[in-house]
């Protein structure tokens, strides 16, 4: 067998995840089989199973990649940019619809729920780290609201189609008090 | 055949919806078959199909019943009560997990999305009606944020288990400015 470089392996793995993400965002997890994912990725059955033992492993890998980086500082402009980025991701790749699938699955699967909880803990900690001038308890409260508003906005995008981000950005600004 | 009263028919229909709601909240829509719903409702196959032609009709009926009444006025206390009510509904009947299933399904089904959009439009209008002293455009912005925060809170309940409502109530209060 010819040698395969790690970069090639990574690219193949990503090719599977990218195809699966699109398929999941448009059909949901339960209505997607490994056969559908083989077809969507344009790779062979053997190639897919080389990287992932099951659909659940693919869902987990996608969930790990689904978190978004926060802005470096929280200002009215950077908050609006962040929500515009969420909006663009939904338009370009169905990101918000994918998140809807992840939450629905996490709501009925303890394993995925545990992964999502970890990601949410990390996200709230990252928000707290951006609020060094706030009391810790107050920063924690703001972080809860920040995550809820971003998620709430994303889910409006998922079910209503395009929705302008300004009201949601204004809400975050009001909550932070910047 | 004996005559069956309308009240009896309504009760039977509701018995099916109540059983289906619990099953959907714990297993999701796609992993639930009509056979599962027959079993969960403890009625006969014939009885179920007398009320609903398909699983989709049951999902639609549940979605119609899933909206919540808003408080009569928006004060810090009534807002916290409203979120406590959401929290109790999740604890008692898995309401937030059910909403996660509804959004995931709406994200991939145009028919259900259209129903959810109508309900969201109605909910935002109801919030606007509670803000007679605000400029219409400002009231509309607040309504968007109100719905996003409530949904965001519910989805934290759905994937993290119990979460205290205070930070989310404080966010709504900050957004409304009451």
């Amino acid at each position: 067998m010819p040698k395969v470089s790690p970069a090639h392996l990574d690219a193949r793995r990503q090719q599977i995840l990218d195809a699966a993400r699109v398929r999941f965002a448009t059909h949901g997890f339960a209505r997607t089989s490994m056969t559908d994912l083989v077809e969507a990725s344009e790779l062979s059955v053997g190639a897919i199973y080389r990287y992932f033992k099951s659909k659940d492993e693919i869902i987990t890998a996608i969930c790990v990649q689904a978190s978004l980086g926060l802005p470096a500082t929280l200002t009215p402009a950077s908050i609006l940019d962040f929500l515009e980025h969420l909006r663009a991701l939904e338009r370009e790749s169905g990101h918000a619809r994918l998140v809807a699938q992840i939450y629905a699955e996490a709501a009925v699967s303890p394993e995925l729920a545990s992964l999502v909880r970890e990601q949410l803990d990390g996200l709230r900690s990252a928000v707290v780290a951006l609020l060094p001038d706030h009391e810790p308890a107050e920063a924690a409260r703001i972080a809860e609201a920040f995550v809820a508003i971003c998620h709430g906005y994303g889910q409006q995008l998922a079910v209503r189609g395009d929705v302008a981000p300004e009201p949601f950005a204004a809400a975050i600004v009001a909550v932070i008090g910047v």
Side-chain angles (χ1 to χ4, degrees), chain A:
Chain A
M1 266 179 79
K3 270 201 175 160
V4 182
S5 72
H8 178 85
L9 291 176
D10 283 353
R12 275 274 190 278
R13 186 175 186 278
Q14 197 55 49
Q15 181 180 344
I16 296 165
L17 293 179
D18 290 345
R21 192 179 290 117
V22 171
R23 167 81 205 191
F24 287 144
T26 51
H27 290 74
F29 293 139
R31 283 196 208 85
T32 298
S33 65
M34 277 299 258
T35 309
D36 295 325
L37 296 178
V38 168
E39 202 173 295
S41 68
E42 302 182 340
L43 294 173
S44 68
V45 176
I48 303 263
Y49 280 98
R50 179 170 182 179
Y51 297 94
F52 300 101
K53 281 200 217 67
S54 65
K55 193 174 78 171
D56 281 353
E57 280 197 11
I58 297 181
I59 292 172
T60 303
I62 282 180
C63 185
V64 167
Q65 292 189 349
S67 0
L68 298 174
L70 290 172
T73 56
L74 295 179
T75 64
S78 75
I79 289 164
L80 185 58
D81 279 354
F82 179 67
L83 296 186
E84 282 287 8
H85 180 56
L86 275 182
R87 183 190 200 182
L89 280 178
E90 166 56 21
R91 202 163 35 213
E92 288 156 18
S93 67
H95 183 267
R97 279 170 291 157
L98 179 69
V99 171
Q101 307 310 319
I102 291 174
Y103 270 64
E105 185 68 16
V108 300
S109 151
E111 295 76 26
L112 196 66
S114 154
L115 177 61
V116 172
R117 269 198 302 272
E118 268 174 43
Q119 291 184 305
L120 288 169
D121 291 348
L123 184 56
R124 289 198 312 282
S125 299
V127 174
V128 166
L130 293 174
L131 300 166
D133 299 337
H134 288 72
E135 290 290 318
E138 177 64 9
R141 279 194 290 274
I142 292 172
E144 284 278 17
F146 184 103
V147 171
I149 296 168
C150 292
H151 182 74
Y153 174 50
Q155 294 310 288
Q156 299 296 308
L157 293 174
V159 300
R160 285 165 60 196
D162 196 38
V163 176
E166 283 77 6
F168 309 92
I172 294 175
V173 168
V175 165
I176 300 180
V178 285

